[in-house]
């Protein structure tokens, strides 16, 4: 019967012999060959599935090699007239078994080793591929099977003390494993056992003579937790362990072997290797063109190499065993028979594999039909007297070649290694930090000493210089007073003599104002006379309705003359209004300069029209017992005429009018009048229609002044003022403009009735958007607005008007609040501390404030805030909140 090829291209042996006629058609197979990736998955039996082999494993057939022992002295004498019972063809990987002088049976194996094969060659073709797989993370098994006295222990367990070339598979395997691992990151441990009379005994600890087998119910893996595990650091350590184990192994003298092993020796080598896995680049779903590489992760690969030196099968009448040795032979044969049954069942894909018939089959369940890469070497002798045992051994190897395993790498994430590495790095960082702190403290101490010395020296020099300067200043003071008096007289004369040359900020003298006023009165008289003349002409025209075209032309000229006079009158009135406002402004500035000179400081020009309302405190006071200049202007010119100038086509007139209205709005008494006269509507129109930065800045300042009145606040909201202010905040870049807009919104934030409307119209988002400027004055206004809004929210929640978390948190204000809670600028810090206290008064905000880091700021405020009321509010809020108290206890904060 011809041999069928296996899945990986290797020729699988048959249970039946093949004739010599067909031997030329057989294909040889390499013992090192691997299964190609294109090969179909092998058929798996139920036992393989029960063992929990991975679905993504690599198929691998059990590899079988046969080794022929040379004749010993007894066989050379007894069988001198007889030929060997086997004939080897190593080049074809065949073995011929002679049944008699004329009939032979041919068998194929993965490797055929003659009696001249060296120990090194045996290791390279049988065990080295398995050892390499173990280093890659697979489990592996190398097992020797054969009749007693055929060289199993020589092949597997020879130590080679006297001749290094005679070293067996155990010694050579450990040499390669130690050479393929790193002592720093990897570990190797061994257990050396014997299965004697169905009892597992520890060869490294003879007192441990009944080790239990433990099976994982989920994966089916077999382990021996009671066995001794010894870590291997070098080859000499391993050789000493092997020698120790051999002294405890049971052996006896039989007719077939003077040192016949009476137990199955099992050497288990456990290898743990640390590897780093670099994952392939992963394509980003959002951007197909971009790639990133995930960080490498440390892995641990745990593999196991099992080296099994089976006790030899024997026939009692040939070995001469009796008494206790007879019982040992029975036990050996029973366990080998159970192993053969399991291999037959797996090879024939039987639904039931009798693995539990023997402890040997339970220990080797991963080697046959499991996840380990397995190599079997069967040893035979040449003597024709033992043809039956030789045949049985060959058939055992042929059946084993039919078993296919599903190889699987066993790896897991190396948490311990990563933790250990991080601990080492942390220790290094801590040590380095301590060294740096020590050096820093030394530097600080040295710098302090130097600073103290320099301060002492500077104080001494300063005291001497101060005494000299004091004398010098006393002399210069008298001269400065005289010069300032002269300068005051000179400035008063200059203000009287300067003329306005068409610029907005020019100065108009009182004499020119008087002249223009007289001109206006003359024009008014002329207009009155012209009106009387027209009336007279109209009365005459009624009498002369049929007069000629000359009279009609005269009437038309008079009408045109009247229209021109009216237009000129309007222009003159506008000029008079502007001149009056400039005169009032000049008077205000001169008054400020006079007060500065009275205090002994140089006089500075001051324009209140470009400042916030708070800078008009001087304008609100009476000057020399008279009314404020802008109030006087309002009475002299009239508020309605000033507001009309806001719609002037002349840009300079419009800008000046806006400044005047802004200054008037600084007075609380004028705010209601401006709103009633339509000034608020005009200011909002300017904010909506004009892109001039000056107009928008001063208009926003005027709106901010009007927003201090509750009635005006409602009108601002009703007329879309919040949206206009938000748009201005988004477009403006000038810090002063942003300061005006932020001040207006901050005033609106203090009205309880406007909270929802202010939030829905985008006022809070506009307020937060202005922090991009970074100017301290702008940030102070933003902080004030947030504090006002938080206070109104807290009051509404306490009264039951509002529920749910804060609208400030909804708009993402919490991170900015926490960031600036300890700002260097006192106005910003004070408002933010107050806002945090109000937000923390309600449990619905507590969790988000804790996750955002606000708890630490509240604790700091309760301890370090300079204002007693805010510090008490923070302490009271933290004490009354169960959520904050629980988190404080969890963090161990001293409160």
């Amino acid at each position: 019967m011809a041999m069928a090829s296996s899945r990986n291209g290797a020729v699988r042996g048959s249970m039946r012999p093949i004739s010599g006629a067909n031997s030329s058609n057989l294909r040889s197979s390499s013992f090192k060959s691997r299964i190609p990736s294109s090969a179909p998955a092998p058929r798996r039996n139920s036992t393989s599935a029960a063992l929990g082999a991975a679905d993504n494993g690599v198929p691998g057939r059990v590899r079988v090699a046969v080794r022929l022992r040379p004749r010993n002295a007894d066989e050379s004498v007894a069988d001198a007239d007889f030929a060997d019972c086997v004939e080897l063809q190593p080049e074809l990987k065949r073995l011929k078994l002679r049944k008699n002088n004329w009939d032979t049976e041919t068998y194929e194996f993965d490797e055929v080793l003659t009696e001249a094969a060296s120990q090194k060659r045996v290791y390279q073709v049988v065990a080295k591929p398995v050892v390499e797989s173990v280093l890659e993370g697979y489990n592996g098994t190398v097992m020797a099977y054969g009749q007693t006295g055929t060289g199993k222990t020589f092949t597997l367990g020879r130590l080679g003390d006297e001749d290094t070339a005679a070293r067996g598979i155990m010694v050579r395997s450990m040499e390669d494993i130690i050479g393929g691992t790193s002592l720093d990151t990897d570990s190797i441990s061994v257990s050396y056992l014997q299965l004697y009379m169905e009892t597992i005994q520890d060869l490294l600890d003879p007192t441990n003579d009944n080790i239990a087998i433990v099976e994982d119910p989920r994966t089916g893996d077999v382990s021996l937790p009671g066995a001794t595990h010894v870590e291997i650091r070098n080859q000499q350590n391993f050789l000493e362990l092997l020698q120790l184990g051999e002294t405890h192994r049971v052996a006896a003298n039989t007719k077939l072997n003077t040192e016949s092993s009476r137990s199955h020796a099992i050497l288990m080598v456990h290898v743990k290797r640390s590897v780093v896995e670099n994952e392939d680049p992963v394509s980003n779903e959002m951007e197909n063109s971009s790639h990133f590489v995930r960080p490498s992760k440390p892995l641990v690969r745990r593999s196991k190499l099992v080296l099994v030196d089976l006790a030899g099968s024997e026939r009692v009448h040939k070995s001469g065993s009796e008494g206790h040795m007879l019982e040992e032979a029975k036990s050996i044969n029973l366990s080998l028979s159970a192993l053969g049954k399991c291999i037959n069942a797996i090879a024939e894909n039987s639904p039931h594999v009798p693995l539990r018939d023997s402890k040997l089959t339970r220990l080797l369940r991963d080697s046959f039909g499991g996840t380990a890469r397995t190599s079997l070497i069967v040893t035979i002798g040449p003597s024709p007297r033992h043809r039956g045992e030789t045949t049985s051994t060959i058939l055992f190897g042929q059946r084993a070649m039919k078993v296919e395993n599903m190889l699987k790498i066993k790896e897991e994430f190396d948490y311990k290694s990563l933790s250990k590495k991080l601990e080492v790095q942390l220790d290094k960082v801590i040590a380095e930090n301590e060294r740096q702190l020590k050096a820093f403290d030394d530097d600080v101490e040295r710098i302090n000493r130097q600073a103290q010395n320099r301060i002492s020296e500077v104080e001494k020099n300063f005291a001497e210089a101060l005494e000299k300067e004091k004398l010098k200043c006393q002399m210069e003071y008298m001269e400065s007073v005289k010069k300032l008096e002269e300068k005051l007289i000179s400035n008063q004369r200059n203000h009287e003599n300067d003329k306005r040359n068409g610029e907005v900020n020019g100065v108009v003298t009182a004499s020119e104002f008087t002249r223009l006023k007289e001109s206006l009165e003359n024009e008014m008289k002329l207009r009155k006379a012209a009106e009387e003349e027209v009336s007279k002409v109209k009365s005459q025209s009624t009498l002369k309705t049929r007069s000629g075209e000359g009279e009609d032309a005269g009437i038309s000229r008079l009408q045109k003359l009247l229209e021109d006079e009216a237009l000129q009158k309007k222009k003159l009135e506008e000029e008079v209004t502007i001149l009056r406002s400039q005169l009032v402004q000049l008077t205000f500035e001169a008054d400020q300069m006079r007060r500065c000179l009275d205090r002994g400081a140089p006089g500075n020009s001051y324009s209140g029209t470009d400042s916030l309302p708070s800078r008009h405190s001087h304008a609100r006071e009476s000057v020399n017992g008279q009314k404020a200049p802008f109030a006087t202007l309002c009475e002299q010119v009239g508020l309605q005429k000033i507001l009309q100038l806001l719609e002037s086509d002349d840009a300079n007139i419009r800008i000046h009018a806006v400044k005047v209205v802004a200054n008037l709005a600084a007075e609380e008494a004028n705010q209601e009048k401006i709103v009633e006269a339509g000034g608020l509507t005009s200011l909002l129109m300017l904010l909506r229609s004009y892109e001039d930065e000056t107009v928008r800045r001063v208009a926003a300042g005027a709106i901010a002044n009007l927003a201090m009145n509750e009635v005006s606040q409602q009108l601002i909201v009703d007329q879309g003022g919040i949206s206009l202010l938000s748009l201005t905040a988004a477009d403006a870049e000038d810090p002063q403009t942003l300061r005006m807009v932020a001040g207006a919104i901050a005033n609106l934030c203090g009205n309880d009735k406007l909270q929802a409307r202010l939030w829905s119209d985008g006022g809070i988002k506009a307020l937060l958007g202005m922090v991009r400027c970074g100017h301290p004055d702008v940030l102070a206004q933003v902080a004030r607005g947030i504090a006002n809004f938080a206070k109104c929210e807290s009051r509404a929640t306490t009264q039951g008007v509002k529920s749910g978390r804060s609208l400030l948190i909804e708009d993402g204000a919490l991170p900015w609040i926490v960031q600036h809670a300890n700002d260097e600028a006192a106005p910003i810090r004070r408002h933010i501390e107050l806002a945090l206290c109000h937000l923390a008064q309600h449990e619905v905000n507590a969790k988000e404030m804790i996750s955002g880091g606000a708890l630490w700021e509240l604790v700091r405020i309760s301890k370090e805030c300079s204002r007693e009321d805010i510090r008490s509010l923070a302490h009271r809020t933290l004490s009354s909140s169960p959520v904050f108290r629980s988190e404080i206890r969890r963090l161990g904060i001293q409160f």
Side-chain angles (χ1 to χ4, degrees), residues 12 25 37 119 142 297 340 395 422 484 609 708 875 892:
R12 181 182 301 175
N25 296 327
S37 59
Q119 290 281 74
V142 178
K297 56 182 180 181
L395 294 179
L422 292 177
L484 288 174
T609 56
M708 292 187 292
H875 190 279

Side-chain angles (χ1 to χ4, degrees), residues 525-538 562:
K525 291 179 181 179
L526 290 174
R527 180 180 177 184
K528 185 175 181 180
E531 288 176 352
E532 293 176 355
E533 184 69 21
V534 169
S535 300
K536 188 183 296 184
V537 171
K538 284 183 178 179
L562 289 175

Side-chain angles (χ1 to χ4, degrees), residues 1 101 107 122 124 156 431 460-461 524 689 698 700 709 735 800:
M1 176 176 152
N101 290 335
Y107 299 93
V122 172
Q124 288 179 339
L156 210 63
K460 181 179 179 181
N461 296 335
M524 293 176 66
S689 305
V698 182
N709 184 283

Side-chain angles (χ1 to χ4, degrees), residues 35 78 155 187 248 256 293 306 308 465 482 542 545 573 599 627 648 675 760 772 832 849:
I35 299 174
T155 300
S187 66
H248 297 145
L256 297 177
V293 177
V306 181
V308 184
K482 294 180 180 180
T542 55
T545 54
E573 288 177 350
R599 290 195 297 267
K627 293 184 178 179
S648 175
V675 173
S760 62
R772 71 183 187 277
I832 293 300
M849 293 185 71

Side-chain angles (χ1 to χ4, degrees), residues 46-166:
S46 60
T47 302
S48 176
L51 290 175
D55 293 338
N56 58 349
V58 178
R61 177 174 59 79
V62 175
R63 302 289 179 172
V64 181
V66 61
R67 186 181 192 185
L68 178 64
R69 173 183 57 77
R71 289 192 178 195
N72 56 31
D74 293 339
E75 292 171 345
S76 298
V77 175
D79 301 329
D81 297 333
F82 300 94
D84 292 347
C85 67
V86 293
E87 178 186 350
L88 304 184
Q89 296 178 332
E91 68 280 357
L92 299 177
K93 293 182 174 51
R94 292 179 184 170
L95 179 149
K96 289 185 178 182
L97 178 64
R98 291 190 179 92
K99 298 175 64 176
N100 47 48
N101 290 335
W102 58 86
D103 191 9
T104 62
E105 294 177 350
T106 303
Y107 299 93
E108 280 194 353
F109 289 92
D110 293 301
E111 195 68 41
V112 175
L113 302 169
T114 66
E115 63 272 21
S118 65
Q119 290 281 74
K120 181 177 180 180
R121 172 163 170 74
V122 172
Y123 170 74
Q124 288 179 339
V125 300
V126 175
K128 190 174 180 64
V130 179
V131 173
E132 292 174 349
S133 297
V134 170
L135 291 174
E136 292 174 0
Y138 298 95
N139 287 342
T141 302
V142 178
M143 187 169 62
Y145 177 90
Q147 182 188 10
T148 182
T150 55
K152 299 184 298 300
T153 303
F154 177 84
T155 300
L156 210 63
R158 185 77 170 183
L159 297 181
D161 294 336
E162 299 176 356
D163 184 7
T164 57

